[in-house]
Amino acid sequence: MVSESPSDRADAAASVRPVRDELAEHRTRLQELGHIDEAACRRFQHSVEFAGRKWNAAILLAGVRGARRFSEYRAAVDGISDRLLAARLKELEDEGVIERHVRATTPVTISYTPSTSGLQLIEVLQPLVEWEVEHSAARAAAPARDDARDAS
């Protein structure tokens, strides 16, 4: 059994304190949001499920990056089938985050562009991407910390 010195315990307590302070700060901010009524909760749930539905964000991001034609979306979103891409584009159009443009040419030309609402959704999702980058780095570092702790 390895015993800890008083200075080791003090260092551990000091490193826990900022985490506790940060958690308390998060709880305070959440309490300041107040009570969410049932209708707002349902709208929130719909938004989260819509944004998190498989392929939706990838399709929208492809549009933000410049995809316009169906084939460009299919090339940009690796692994999606034509049938599912068509269904998701229709769903995104129905939600107002993608706009469908039909030009009367021979043959008819159809293109899709992100709407203002779609651009706002991508902006709202960006902090989630940054959060994942930060936390994936922390998860990758955790085994190294565990190995170093086990070795000592």
PDB file of all heavy atoms in Angstrom, residues 27-50:
ATOM      1  N   ARG A  27     -24.323  24.931 -12.109  1.00  0.00           N
ATOM      2  CA  ARG A  27     -25.625  24.744 -11.451  1.00  0.00           C
ATOM      3  C   ARG A  27     -26.340  26.077 -11.283  1.00  0.00           C
ATOM      4  O   ARG A  27     -27.545  26.184 -11.498  1.00  0.00           O
ATOM      5  CB  ARG A  27     -25.444  24.067 -10.098  1.00  0.00           C
ATOM      6  CG  ARG A  27     -25.183  22.599 -10.200  1.00  0.00           C
ATOM      7  CD  ARG A  27     -25.255  21.926  -8.830  1.00  0.00           C
ATOM      8  NE  ARG A  27     -24.699  20.604  -8.927  1.00  0.00           N
ATOM      9  CZ  ARG A  27     -23.514  20.238  -8.485  1.00  0.00           C
ATOM     10  NH1 ARG A  27     -22.741  21.091  -7.851  1.00  0.00           N
ATOM     11  NH2 ARG A  27     -23.079  18.991  -8.630  1.00  0.00           N
ATOM     12  N   THR A  28     -25.604  27.109 -10.901  1.00  0.00           N
ATOM     13  CA  THR A  28     -26.193  28.434 -10.727  1.00  0.00           C
ATOM     14  C   THR A  28     -26.751  28.952 -12.051  1.00  0.00           C
ATOM     15  O   THR A  28     -27.865  29.462 -12.101  1.00  0.00           O
ATOM     16  CB  THR A  28     -25.142  29.424 -10.174  1.00  0.00           C
ATOM     17  OG1 THR A  28     -24.656  28.932  -8.925  1.00  0.00           O
ATOM     18  CG2 THR A  28     -25.728  30.810  -9.998  1.00  0.00           C
ATOM     19  N   ARG A  29     -25.978  28.785 -13.144  1.00  0.00           N
ATOM     20  CA  ARG A  29     -26.458  29.240 -14.450  1.00  0.00           C
ATOM     21  C   ARG A  29     -27.716  28.482 -14.861  1.00  0.00           C
ATOM     22  O   ARG A  29     -28.645  29.067 -15.405  1.00  0.00           O
ATOM     23  CB  ARG A  29     -25.382  29.075 -15.507  1.00  0.00           C
ATOM     24  CG  ARG A  29     -24.390  30.221 -15.497  1.00  0.00           C
ATOM     25  CD  ARG A  29     -23.492  30.155 -16.668  1.00  0.00           C
ATOM     26  NE  ARG A  29     -22.634  28.983 -16.467  1.00  0.00           N
ATOM     27  CZ  ARG A  29     -21.609  28.665 -17.223  1.00  0.00           C
ATOM     28  NH1 ARG A  29     -21.317  29.386 -18.266  1.00  0.00           N
ATOM     29  NH2 ARG A  29     -20.876  27.605 -16.967  1.00  0.00           N
ATOM     30  N   LEU A  30     -27.754  27.184 -14.600  1.00  0.00           N
ATOM     31  CA  LEU A  30     -28.939  26.399 -14.945  1.00  0.00           C
ATOM     32  C   LEU A  30     -30.146  26.831 -14.127  1.00  0.00           C
ATOM     33  O   LEU A  30     -31.268  26.896 -14.638  1.00  0.00           O
ATOM     34  CB  LEU A  30     -28.665  24.905 -14.748  1.00  0.00           C
ATOM     35  CG  LEU A  30     -27.729  24.270 -15.769  1.00  0.00           C
ATOM     36  CD1 LEU A  30     -27.404  22.838 -15.369  1.00  0.00           C
ATOM     37  CD2 LEU A  30     -28.336  24.309 -17.158  1.00  0.00           C
ATOM     38  N   GLN A  31     -29.935  27.143 -12.845  1.00  0.00           N
ATOM     39  CA  GLN A  31     -31.043  27.606 -12.008  1.00  0.00           C
ATOM     40  C   GLN A  31     -31.554  28.968 -12.479  1.00  0.00           C
ATOM     41  O   GLN A  31     -32.748  29.250 -12.402  1.00  0.00           O
ATOM     42  CB  GLN A  31     -30.619  27.672 -10.547  1.00  0.00           C
ATOM     43  CG  GLN A  31     -30.446  26.296  -9.930  1.00  0.00           C
ATOM     44  CD  GLN A  31     -29.807  26.355  -8.550  1.00  0.00           C
ATOM     45  OE1 GLN A  31     -29.323  27.384  -8.129  1.00  0.00           O
ATOM     46  NE2 GLN A  31     -29.794  25.221  -7.866  1.00  0.00           N
ATOM     47  N   GLU A  32     -30.653  29.804 -12.995  1.00  0.00           N
ATOM     48  CA  GLU A  32     -31.055  31.117 -13.496  1.00  0.00           C
ATOM     49  C   GLU A  32     -31.949  31.001 -14.727  1.00  0.00           C
ATOM     50  O   GLU A  32     -32.741  31.898 -15.016  1.00  0.00           O
ATOM     51  CB  GLU A  32     -29.828  31.963 -13.828  1.00  0.00           C
ATOM     52  CG  GLU A  32     -29.076  32.428 -12.596  1.00  0.00           C
ATOM     53  CD  GLU A  32     -27.749  33.076 -12.935  1.00  0.00           C
ATOM     54  OE1 GLU A  32     -27.384  33.156 -14.129  1.00  0.00           O
ATOM     55  OE2 GLU A  32     -27.055  33.496 -11.990  1.00  0.00           O
ATOM     56  N   LEU A  33     -31.829  29.880 -15.465  1.00  0.00           N
ATOM     57  CA  LEU A  33     -32.695  29.680 -16.628  1.00  0.00           C
ATOM     58  C   LEU A  33     -34.147  29.533 -16.206  1.00  0.00           C
ATOM     59  O   LEU A  33     -35.057  29.780 -16.985  1.00  0.00           O
ATOM     60  CB  LEU A  33     -32.255  28.435 -17.412  1.00  0.00           C
ATOM     61  CG  LEU A  33     -30.922  28.544 -18.142  1.00  0.00           C
ATOM     62  CD1 LEU A  33     -30.557  27.195 -18.747  1.00  0.00           C
ATOM     63  CD2 LEU A  33     -30.981  29.612 -19.214  1.00  0.00           C
ATOM     64  N   GLY A  34     -34.351  29.126 -14.973  1.00  0.00           N
ATOM     65  CA  GLY A  34     -35.701  29.002 -14.450  1.00  0.00           C
ATOM     66  C   GLY A  34     -36.392  27.743 -14.935  1.00  0.00           C
ATOM     67  O   GLY A  34     -35.819  26.897 -15.611  1.00  0.00           O
ATOM     68  N   HIS A  35     -37.650  27.679 -14.609  1.00  0.00           N
ATOM     69  CA  HIS A  35     -38.461  26.534 -14.967  1.00  0.00           C
ATOM     70  C   HIS A  35     -38.860  26.621 -16.437  1.00  0.00           C
ATOM     71  O   HIS A  35     -39.282  27.672 -16.907  1.00  0.00           O
ATOM     72  CB  HIS A  35     -39.710  26.485 -14.085  1.00  0.00           C
ATOM     73  CG  HIS A  35     -40.628  25.368 -14.438  1.00  0.00           C
ATOM     74  ND1 HIS A  35     -40.327  24.060 -14.177  1.00  0.00           N
ATOM     75  CD2 HIS A  35     -41.811  25.371 -15.079  1.00  0.00           C
ATOM     76  CE1 HIS A  35     -41.309  23.298 -14.625  1.00  0.00           C
ATOM     77  NE2 HIS A  35     -42.227  24.080 -15.170  1.00  0.00           N
ATOM     78  N   ILE A  36     -38.739  25.520 -17.150  1.00  0.00           N
ATOM     79  CA  ILE A  36     -39.156  25.461 -18.547  1.00  0.00           C
ATOM     80  C   ILE A  36     -40.526  24.813 -18.582  1.00  0.00           C
ATOM     81  O   ILE A  36     -40.706  23.701 -18.080  1.00  0.00           O
ATOM     82  CB  ILE A  36     -38.148  24.647 -19.392  1.00  0.00           C
ATOM     83  CG1 ILE A  36     -36.778  25.316 -19.353  1.00  0.00           C
ATOM     84  CG2 ILE A  36     -38.645  24.511 -20.819  1.00  0.00           C
ATOM     85  CD1 ILE A  36     -35.694  24.530 -20.034  1.00  0.00           C
ATOM     86  N   ASP A  37     -41.489  25.511 -19.183  1.00  0.00           N
ATOM     87  CA  ASP A  37     -42.840  24.946 -19.238  1.00  0.00           C
ATOM     88  C   ASP A  37     -42.874  23.752 -20.197  1.00  0.00           C
ATOM     89  O   ASP A  37     -41.944  23.511 -20.958  1.00  0.00           O
ATOM     90  CB  ASP A  37     -43.884  25.994 -19.597  1.00  0.00           C
ATOM     91  CG  ASP A  37     -43.723  26.564 -20.994  1.00  0.00           C
ATOM     92  OD1 ASP A  37     -43.082  25.922 -21.844  1.00  0.00           O
ATOM     93  OD2 ASP A  37     -44.252  27.651 -21.245  1.00  0.00           O
ATOM     94  N   GLU A  38     -43.962  23.014 -20.146  1.00  0.00           N
ATOM     95  CA  GLU A  38     -44.070  21.770 -20.903  1.00  0.00           C
ATOM     96  C   GLU A  38     -43.959  21.996 -22.413  1.00  0.00           C
ATOM     97  O   GLU A  38     -43.303  21.236 -23.118  1.00  0.00           O
ATOM     98  CB  GLU A  38     -45.389  21.076 -20.570  1.00  0.00           C
ATOM     99  CG  GLU A  38     -45.457  19.669 -21.114  1.00  0.00           C
ATOM    100  CD  GLU A  38     -46.691  18.933 -20.638  1.00  0.00           C
ATOM    101  OE1 GLU A  38     -47.192  19.244 -19.548  1.00  0.00           O
ATOM    102  OE2 GLU A  38     -47.133  18.053 -21.380  1.00  0.00           O
ATOM    103  N   ALA A  39     -44.591  23.038 -22.926  1.00  0.00           N
ATOM    104  CA  ALA A  39     -44.534  23.317 -24.367  1.00  0.00           C
ATOM    105  C   ALA A  39     -43.108  23.634 -24.802  1.00  0.00           C
ATOM    106  O   ALA A  39     -42.642  23.149 -25.838  1.00  0.00           O
ATOM    107  CB  ALA A  39     -45.476  24.467 -24.717  1.00  0.00           C
ATOM    108  N   ALA A  40     -42.397  24.434 -24.016  1.00  0.00           N
ATOM    109  CA  ALA A  40     -41.005  24.764 -24.341  1.00  0.00           C
ATOM    110  C   ALA A  40     -40.134  23.514 -24.267  1.00  0.00           C
ATOM    111  O   ALA A  40     -39.224  23.342 -25.079  1.00  0.00           O
ATOM    112  CB  ALA A  40     -40.482  25.845 -23.395  1.00  0.00           C
ATOM    113  N   CYS A  41     -40.432  22.654 -23.321  1.00  0.00           N
ATOM    114  CA  CYS A  41     -39.671  21.410 -23.188  1.00  0.00           C
ATOM    115  C   CYS A  41     -39.867  20.541 -24.430  1.00  0.00           C
ATOM    116  O   CYS A  41     -38.921  19.953 -24.942  1.00  0.00           O
ATOM    117  CB  CYS A  41     -40.100  20.673 -21.923  1.00  0.00           C
ATOM    118  SG  CYS A  41     -39.085  19.237 -21.555  1.00  0.00           S
ATOM    119  N   ARG A  42     -41.106  20.455 -24.934  1.00  0.00           N
ATOM    120  CA  ARG A  42     -41.367  19.664 -26.143  1.00  0.00           C
ATOM    121  C   ARG A  42     -40.648  20.261 -27.350  1.00  0.00           C
ATOM    122  O   ARG A  42     -40.097  19.531 -28.169  1.00  0.00           O
ATOM    123  CB  ARG A  42     -42.872  19.578 -26.411  1.00  0.00           C
ATOM    124  CG  ARG A  42     -43.570  18.537 -25.552  1.00  0.00           C
ATOM    125  CD  ARG A  42     -44.964  18.241 -26.078  1.00  0.00           C
ATOM    126  NE  ARG A  42     -45.838  19.414 -26.054  1.00  0.00           N
ATOM    127  CZ  ARG A  42     -46.587  19.778 -25.020  1.00  0.00           C
ATOM    128  NH1 ARG A  42     -46.585  19.057 -23.923  1.00  0.00           N
ATOM    129  NH2 ARG A  42     -47.340  20.855 -25.087  1.00  0.00           N
ATOM    130  N   ARG A  43     -40.643  21.598 -27.455  1.00  0.00           N
ATOM    131  CA  ARG A  43     -39.926  22.238 -28.570  1.00  0.00           C
ATOM    132  C   ARG A  43     -38.433  21.968 -28.468  1.00  0.00           C
ATOM    133  O   ARG A  43     -37.774  21.688 -29.476  1.00  0.00           O
ATOM    134  CB  ARG A  43     -40.208  23.744 -28.577  1.00  0.00           C
ATOM    135  CG  ARG A  43     -41.614  24.100 -29.026  1.00  0.00           C
ATOM    136  CD  ARG A  43     -41.779  25.595 -29.249  1.00  0.00           C
ATOM    137  NE  ARG A  43     -41.438  26.409 -28.092  1.00  0.00           N
ATOM    138  CZ  ARG A  43     -42.291  26.762 -27.133  1.00  0.00           C
ATOM    139  NH1 ARG A  43     -43.547  26.373 -27.192  1.00  0.00           N
ATOM    140  NH2 ARG A  43     -41.891  27.510 -26.120  1.00  0.00           N
ATOM    141  N   PHE A  44     -37.913  22.040 -27.264  1.00  0.00           N
ATOM    142  CA  PHE A  44     -36.495  21.742 -27.049  1.00  0.00           C
ATOM    143  C   PHE A  44     -36.185  20.303 -27.469  1.00  0.00           C
ATOM    144  O   PHE A  44     -35.223  20.046 -28.189  1.00  0.00           O
ATOM    145  CB  PHE A  44     -36.129  21.963 -25.578  1.00  0.00           C
ATOM    146  CG  PHE A  44     -34.756  21.478 -25.224  1.00  0.00           C
ATOM    147  CD1 PHE A  44     -33.644  22.231 -25.543  1.00  0.00           C
ATOM    148  CD2 PHE A  44     -34.569  20.263 -24.576  1.00  0.00           C
ATOM    149  CE1 PHE A  44     -32.371  21.790 -25.223  1.00  0.00           C
ATOM    150  CE2 PHE A  44     -33.301  19.811 -24.253  1.00  0.00           C
ATOM    151  CZ  PHE A  44     -32.196  20.573 -24.577  1.00  0.00           C
ATOM    152  N   GLN A  45     -37.026  19.373 -27.028  1.00  0.00           N
ATOM    153  CA  GLN A  45     -36.822  17.960 -27.359  1.00  0.00           C
ATOM    154  C   GLN A  45     -36.859  17.744 -28.867  1.00  0.00           C
ATOM    155  O   GLN A  45     -36.035  17.033 -29.418  1.00  0.00           O
ATOM    156  CB  GLN A  45     -37.889  17.100 -26.667  1.00  0.00           C
ATOM    157  CG  GLN A  45     -37.666  15.616 -26.805  1.00  0.00           C
ATOM    158  CD  GLN A  45     -36.444  15.138 -26.050  1.00  0.00           C
ATOM    159  OE1 GLN A  45     -36.068  15.703 -25.035  1.00  0.00           O
ATOM    160  NE2 GLN A  45     -35.820  14.102 -26.546  1.00  0.00           N
ATOM    161  N   HIS A  46     -37.811  18.376 -29.547  1.00  0.00           N
ATOM    162  CA  HIS A  46     -37.905  18.258 -31.005  1.00  0.00           C
ATOM    163  C   HIS A  46     -36.628  18.784 -31.665  1.00  0.00           C
ATOM    164  O   HIS A  46     -36.083  18.148 -32.570  1.00  0.00           O
ATOM    165  CB  HIS A  46     -39.127  19.018 -31.535  1.00  0.00           C
ATOM    166  CG  HIS A  46     -39.162  19.109 -33.022  1.00  0.00           C
ATOM    167  ND1 HIS A  46     -39.550  18.052 -33.813  1.00  0.00           N
ATOM    168  CD2 HIS A  46     -38.827  20.112 -33.865  1.00  0.00           C
ATOM    169  CE1 HIS A  46     -39.467  18.410 -35.087  1.00  0.00           C
ATOM    170  NE2 HIS A  46     -39.024  19.665 -35.132  1.00  0.00           N
ATOM    171  N   SER A  47     -36.149  19.935 -31.199  1.00  0.00           N
ATOM    172  CA  SER A  47     -34.946  20.540 -31.780  1.00  0.00           C
ATOM    173  C   SER A  47     -33.729  19.650 -31.607  1.00  0.00           C
ATOM    174  O   SER A  47     -32.952  19.451 -32.540  1.00  0.00           O
ATOM    175  CB  SER A  47     -34.673  21.901 -31.139  1.00  0.00           C
ATOM    176  OG  SER A  47     -35.728  22.778 -31.383  1.00  0.00           O
ATOM    177  N   VAL A  48     -33.573  19.119 -30.411  1.00  0.00           N
ATOM    178  CA  VAL A  48     -32.416  18.256 -30.129  1.00  0.00           C
ATOM    179  C   VAL A  48     -32.483  16.985 -30.969  1.00  0.00           C
ATOM    180  O   VAL A  48     -31.488  16.563 -31.561  1.00  0.00           O
ATOM    181  CB  VAL A  48     -32.337  17.933 -28.619  1.00  0.00           C
ATOM    182  CG1 VAL A  48     -31.325  16.842 -28.342  1.00  0.00           C
ATOM    183  CG2 VAL A  48     -32.007  19.183 -27.832  1.00  0.00           C
ATOM    184  N   GLU A  49     -33.661  16.381 -31.043  1.00  0.00           N
ATOM    185  CA  GLU A  49     -33.801  15.163 -31.839  1.00  0.00           C
ATOM    186  C   GLU A  49     -33.589  15.441 -33.318  1.00  0.00           C
ATOM    187  O   GLU A  49     -32.956  14.654 -34.021  1.00  0.00           O
ATOM    188  CB  GLU A  49     -35.174  14.528 -31.602  1.00  0.00           C
ATOM    189  CG  GLU A  49     -35.281  13.884 -30.237  1.00  0.00           C
ATOM    190  CD  GLU A  49     -36.667  13.341 -29.937  1.00  0.00           C
ATOM    191  OE1 GLU A  49     -37.560  13.406 -30.820  1.00  0.00           O
ATOM    192  OE2 GLU A  49     -36.860  12.853 -28.822  1.00  0.00           O
ATOM    193  N   PHE A  50     -34.091  16.566 -33.803  1.00  0.00           N
ATOM    194  CA  PHE A  50     -33.913  16.920 -35.210  1.00  0.00           C
ATOM    195  C   PHE A  50     -32.438  17.133 -35.531  1.00  0.00           C
ATOM    196  O   PHE A  50     -31.909  16.574 -36.484  1.00  0.00           O
ATOM    197  CB  PHE A  50     -34.727  18.169 -35.563  1.00  0.00           C
ATOM    198  CG  PHE A  50     -34.458  18.661 -36.950  1.00  0.00           C
ATOM    199  CD1 PHE A  50     -34.994  17.999 -38.040  1.00  0.00           C
ATOM    200  CD2 PHE A  50     -33.666  19.775 -37.170  1.00  0.00           C
ATOM    201  CE1 PHE A  50     -34.730  18.440 -39.330  1.00  0.00           C
ATOM    202  CE2 PHE A  50     -33.405  20.210 -38.441  1.00  0.00           C
ATOM    203  CZ  PHE A  50     -33.935  19.542 -39.537  1.00  0.00           C
TER     204      PHE A  50
END
